[in-house]
Amino acid sequence: MTDQDWLHVARTVFTSRLIDTIEETELAPAGKITYQFSAKGHELPQAICAALLTHPHDAATVYYRSRPFVLGAGMSIRQAFAGPLGTIASRSAGRDIGVVHHLPRGTHGIAVLPASGDVGAQFTPAVGWAQAAVYRADVLKETAWKGACAVAFAGDGATATNGFWAALGIATTQTLPVIFCIEDNGYGISVPSTYQTPGRNIAANLRSFTNLHVIDGDGTQPPEAAACIEEALSMVRQRLKPVLLRLSVPRLCGHSGADNQAYKTSAEREFEVARDPIPRLREFLVQQKICTKATLAELEADVERQVREELKQALADAFPQPSDAVRHVVFDGKIPLRGGMRAEGVQYQPTQNHDIPETTPATEQRVNFIEAVRRVLDEELAMNPRVLVFGEDVGVKGGVHGATVDLQRKYGKERVFDTSLSEEGIIGRAVGMALAGLVPVPEIQFRKYADPATEQLNDCGTIRWRTNGDFAAPIVVRIPVGYGKRTGDPWHSVSGEAVFAHAVGWRIAFPSNARDAAGLLRTALRGDDPTFFLEHRALLDTPQGRAAYPANTGYMIPFGIARNVAGGKRATVITWGEMVYRALEAAERVGGDIDVIDMRTIIPWDKDAVLNSVKKTGRCLVLHEDTHTAGFGGEIAAFVAQECFMWLDAPVQRLASADCPIPYSPYLMEGVVPSVQVIAERLKSLLAF
Ligand SMILES: Cc1ncc(C[n+]2csc(CCOP(=O)(O)OP(=O)(O)O)c2C)c(N)n1
């Protein structure tokens, strides 16, 4: 730390403290801000980190108490006020609470990655960034990335979350340059840290963790805090070990503006006040002759003047318009500053509905569905060195479904690799990698096992929106879904696309054959939105899923364009995935002349195809394998009822799996999943209405 660094630290600390005080005593009481989170007591280590994270490719993942860091990293005071005020000058333009930060490029180039309101969600994206930094430096030989690291900031409560342990496992097994900086204030809102980790000290508990460097220090003492942070940075810059850096700090405020801290004794509060880092910092600066008392007073006065000035500007800033709210939910032309395929010159193709004309592929030999997936991955890996493929058993084994067979041998362990058994880790890491400019293609082994990744998946989908289009993490998550060839069961046979359809910001492909799988997967991989790519298990290596593989490597199918798999005038069946084949058989059984529409993508879905068909036939059955209640069929049926009312000759029908898990016994499964016979019966009654 140079004198200059210390002056930067002092300015950040004083600025942050004053902003907190103004919010607490002026803006919140006046009703100008509704969410108020102070960082009082936490300022010093954060400001030191901001001063020392000088590598242009460093990144930090932060949380709601990280404003001192973000100020130190380059967020303006006006933006700091604008956040809680909810004006258009805030980084999210009023979309997010002011302390859920992001900063595409700070003072030294450091990125503050999009924070989450979910405690613990900041850890796995940090390890993803760290792994991407290593990949870009070592494999892509981008020297500018050499020595870059990631820092995840969190409170002590966050060390109890799944995300913390997922990230710790990844960082230590892969020796990633990441620092877990735990600002331990002894509480998570009102819950003491004895509930988060036994004996209340996470550093003490992790001392024997293999391949982890543990540092435990006082975050209120300037030289000690700086020494701890310098030690941590030196460890990760040399890539010796990841670091758990615990710094104890007082929380000199309520958890938020609404919290009166009645759960702390007065002795505790007095003890905390005595540990205020600001008097210690002042004393240190003068003692070390970095400032005189007079220049220090001048600095503080200057901070006050600047804060007041920028507050005035912030209070004059406009509020967003209601019509601004729905912009940047998906890629809409604004190129993200961080992440996204277009970042730093990567070839990009739009995925927007109808943007890409579907070409006729030069047809080739027929291949299994899973082989089509494997080939597209192979081709994209060959074409784009930023593509990485990973998941459980994806490496040497080639995936439990065979989608990645041979790819590790061909492209190496850095590009095609096994992960720890942590779905939160797989997705969170993918998000961090995408933000660092890579194209991650994670595999979740079965649909049910996406459950532990729910938080990361949902947060990933809203990154573009939350950051007002500044960041994007277009990952492509491949997931086998549905029942198997011979049997089902509650764990491996879930389709569950309706839950994903409800996740804002995501696209969903649900192809029914090898050709569509190839075209849609490539579109997803070259697009700029996160995509669920669902692969039906009963189609992976069966005759039904087999199709001619499109040989031209540029073959893409746009999202939101359905395919008529059978033509007819008597009724319309709208379906997708394996149900397409049951529908076709059922249509034959009732005498044919039925329009069968394979949706191919669920988000976006082809409303025009549905409209045109139902207007022609006057009868509509929506069929899917996902459970009935709140299934995606409800969405389509509601649309048809509203838009085709005048053309309908019968009520819109829905047929789906019973609201029941998929059973193991094939006999029981017959009672849950719509069989050809049940579909045919339903069609018969629809035609007879
Ligand atoms: C996943 C999740 N669960 C619960 C909450 C509600 N919540 C917000 S902050 C917080 C306490 C976090 O404490 P800690 O990590 O120690 O950070 P501190 O506030 O003390 O700095 C809780 C329970 C949340 N935001 N996210």
Side-chain angles (χ1 to χ4, degrees):
M1 289 281 289
T2 63
D3 287 2
Q4 224 28 53
D5 288 334
W6 279 115
L7 289 173
H8 181 62
V9 166
R11 183 168 276 278
T12 305
V13 168
F14 297 139
T15 301
S16 174
R17 181 65 63 97
L18 187 55
I19 292 174
D20 284 342
T21 302
I22 290 172
E23 284 182 351
E24 283 172 0
T25 59
E26 299 173 31
L27 301 180
K32 290 190 189 303
I33 60 179
T34 34
Y35 274 107
Q36 201 280 320
F37 286 87
S38 286
K40 289 181 170 176
H42 284 237
E43 299 98 335
L44 182 66
Q46 292 186 30
I48 296 172
C49 282
L52 291 178
L53 284 166
T54 52
H55 192 294
H57 290 299
D58 284 340
T61 58
V62 299
Y63 78 119
Y64 50 83
R65 222 173 291 290
S66 299
R67 188 160 59 192
F69 173 79
V70 186
L71 280 165
M75 177 176 65
S76 73
I77 296 168
R78 182 178 179 174
Q79 280 177 336
F81 278 124
L85 287 167
T87 65
I88 51 168
S90 71
R91 284 234 59 97
S92 77
R95 290 155 179 241
D96 208 336
I97 50 175
V99 291
V100 178
H101 301 280
H102 60 95
L103 194 63
R105 224 172 274 277
T107 318
H108 314 296
I110 184 173
V112 177
L113 305 186
S116 166
D118 298 325
V119 171
Q122 67 271 51
F123 294 111
T124 50
V127 298
W129 181 281
Q131 186 169 346
V134 170
Y135 180 77
R136 293 190 70 157
D138 291 4
V139 181
L140 299 184
K141 307 284 180 219
E142 296 178 78
T143 46
W145 282 80
K146 215 167 165 232
C149 72
V151 182
F153 291 92
D156 46 283
T159 64
T161 63
N162 299 341
F164 176 72
W165 294 98
L168 193 66
I170 296 168
T172 49
T173 53
Q174 314 289 297
T175 315
L176 294 177
V178 61
I179 300 172
F180 302 104
C181 182
I182 307 302
E183 298 163 38
D184 189 343
N185 63 25
Y187 281 90
I189 308 185
S190 66
V191 180
S193 46
T194 44
Y195 284 80
Q196 315 295 356
T197 194
R200 68 176 299 158
N201 183 332
I202 189 71
N205 289 333
L206 288 176
R207 283 260 176 236
S208 61
F209 209 86
T210 299
N211 205 27
L212 180 69
H213 186 70
V214 177
I215 305 171
D216 192 0
D218 187 337
T220 69
Q221 297 288 5
E224 183 177 338
C228 290
I229 293 163
E230 283 175 324
E231 181 185 333
L233 278 169
S234 140
M235 286 299 292
V236 293
R237 295 248 188 261
Q238 296 176 69
R239 262 203 245 150
L240 296 175
K241 279 181 187 183
V243 176
L244 183 282
L245 169 61
R246 172 185 176 264
L247 292 166
S248 68
V249 290
R251 195 186 76 201
L252 301 171
C253 45
H255 166 70
S256 65
D259 174 26
N260 65 9
Q261 302 203 78
Y263 45 85
K264 288 182 183 171
T265 65
S266 51
E268 252 178 304
R269 291 176 70 167
E270 277 164 30
F271 180 69
E272 287 188 322
V273 170
R275 293 188 69 220
D276 186 342
I278 288 195
R280 295 175 184 192
L281 178 63
R282 286 196 188 106
E283 197 184 318
F284 169 79
L285 293 171
V286 173
Q287 251 177 18
Q288 296 298 307
K289 302 199 171 24
I290 297 165
C291 294
T292 63
K293 277 192 178 156
T295 56
L296 184 60
E298 268 169 38
L299 173 67
E300 292 194 52
D302 190 49
V303 165
E304 167 112 34
R305 184 200 52 71
Q306 194 190 356
V307 169
R308 288 287 168 193
E309 176 55 39
E310 295 202 34
L311 171 61
K312 219 183 288 166
Q313 295 167 2
L315 287 169
D317 284 327
F319 291 105
Q321 296 297 313
S323 58
D324 292 341
V326 291
R327 291 171 62 218
H328 310 314
V329 174
V330 292
F331 178 72
D332 53 7
K334 181 178 175 189
I335 299 168
L337 300 171
R338 286 279 183 175
M341 302 293 173
R342 284 200 188 188
E344 302 172 49
V346 172
Q347 183 196 4
Y348 164 84
Q349 298 287 338
T351 54
Q352 290 305 89
N353 206 354
H354 298 276
D355 274 354
I356 315 162
E358 183 171 351
T359 51
T360 312
T363 42
E364 304 318 320
Q365 106 235 53
R366 286 163 67 78
V367 296
N368 281 340
F369 186 118
I370 198 70
E371 174 60 12
V373 169
R374 204 195 66 80
R375 283 200 199 177
V376 171
L377 293 176
D378 190 345
E379 289 161 11
E380 294 295 306
L381 279 159
M383 248 185 54
N384 184 353
R386 294 200 184 183
V387 173
L388 302 185
V389 174
F390 51 93
E392 292 154 16
D393 304 290
V394 158
V396 181
K397 182 174 167 63
V400 298
H401 309 278
T404 55
V405 166
D406 251 5
L407 297 181
Q408 186 179 77
R409 193 184 50 73
K410 216 164 156 184
Y411 297 101
K413 281 185 180 156
E414 286 81 13
R415 301 193 63 197
V416 179
F417 54 90
D418 289 326
T419 62
S420 51
L421 208 167
S422 164
E423 284 73 17
E424 149 129 31
I426 292 169
I427 301 300
R429 165 170 25 189
V431 168
M433 287 175 159
L435 294 172
L438 301 182
V439 185
V441 194
E443 173 178 305
I444 297 290
Q445 214 159 62
F446 291 91
R447 170 66 183 85
K448 178 74 180 68
Y449 307 143
D451 288 0
T454 305
E455 184 181 70
Q456 290 297 335
L457 290 169
N458 285 331
D459 288 356
C460 175
T462 58
I463 283 176
R464 189 190 302 279
W465 181 87
R466 289 186 282 128
T467 63
N468 201 25
D470 281 348
F471 285 81
I475 67 178
V476 178
V477 186
R478 295 183 33 257
I479 315 179
V481 299
Y483 47 81
K485 271 186 297 192
R486 281 181 290 277
T487 181
D489 73 289
W491 313 109
H492 303 95
S493 305
V494 175
S495 41
E497 70 270 13
V499 173
F500 287 162
H502 219 73
V504 172
W506 283 87
R507 287 168 185 274
I508 307 172
F510 203 152
S512 66
N513 63 75
R515 181 189 125 156
D516 287 354
L520 290 168
L521 181 56
R522 194 173 284 106
T523 306
L525 288 169
R526 297 188 190 178
D528 211 57
D529 285 306
T531 305
F532 289 114
F533 189 82
L534 308 182
E535 302 165 6
H536 199 288
R537 290 170 61 224
L539 299 175
L540 296 183
D541 61 352
T542 54
Q544 289 169 323
R546 210 164 290 154
Y549 184 77
N552 34 335
T553 49
Y555 179 64
M556 292 195 278
I557 297 175
F559 277 47
I561 310 287
R563 194 161 67 96
N564 247 49
V565 287
K569 291 184 292 299
R570 293 199 298 152
T572 300
V573 181
I574 300 158
T575 190
W576 50 89
E578 205 270 344
M579 281 293 149
V580 166
Y581 302 98
R582 294 192 183 202
L584 285 171
E585 212 182 317
E588 282 304 307
R589 276 198 202 175
V590 298
D593 199 19
I594 307 274
D595 238 9
V596 179
I597 297 178
D598 176 355
M599 292 302 286
R600 305 203 289 190
T601 64
I602 306 298
I603 302 286
W605 61 281
D606 193 345
K607 293 179 177 154
D608 291 343
V610 171
L611 273 181
N612 293 337
S613 176
V614 178
K615 283 183 181 174
K616 179 178 66 177
T617 64
R619 289 182 161 79
C620 177
L621 168 66
V622 190
L623 168 70
H624 58 71
E625 179 184 334
D626 198 0
T627 47
H628 183 93
T629 302
F632 198 71
E635 181 67 30
I636 298 174
F639 172 82
V640 172
Q642 184 174 313
E643 300 298 326
C644 304
F645 185 71
M646 301 302 282
W647 284 269
L648 285 172
D649 296 323
V652 185
Q653 295 287 311
R654 282 194 289 155
L655 185 55
S657 288
D659 292 336
C660 167
I662 304 291
Y664 173 61
S665 153
Y667 302 103
L668 291 175
M669 207 166 97
E670 278 289 299
V672 174
V673 180
S675 62
V676 172
Q677 192 189 330
V678 169
I679 300 166
E681 278 162 14
R682 186 64 76 87
L683 267 178
K684 241 186 250 163
S685 70
L686 178 66
L687 292 167
F689 184 87

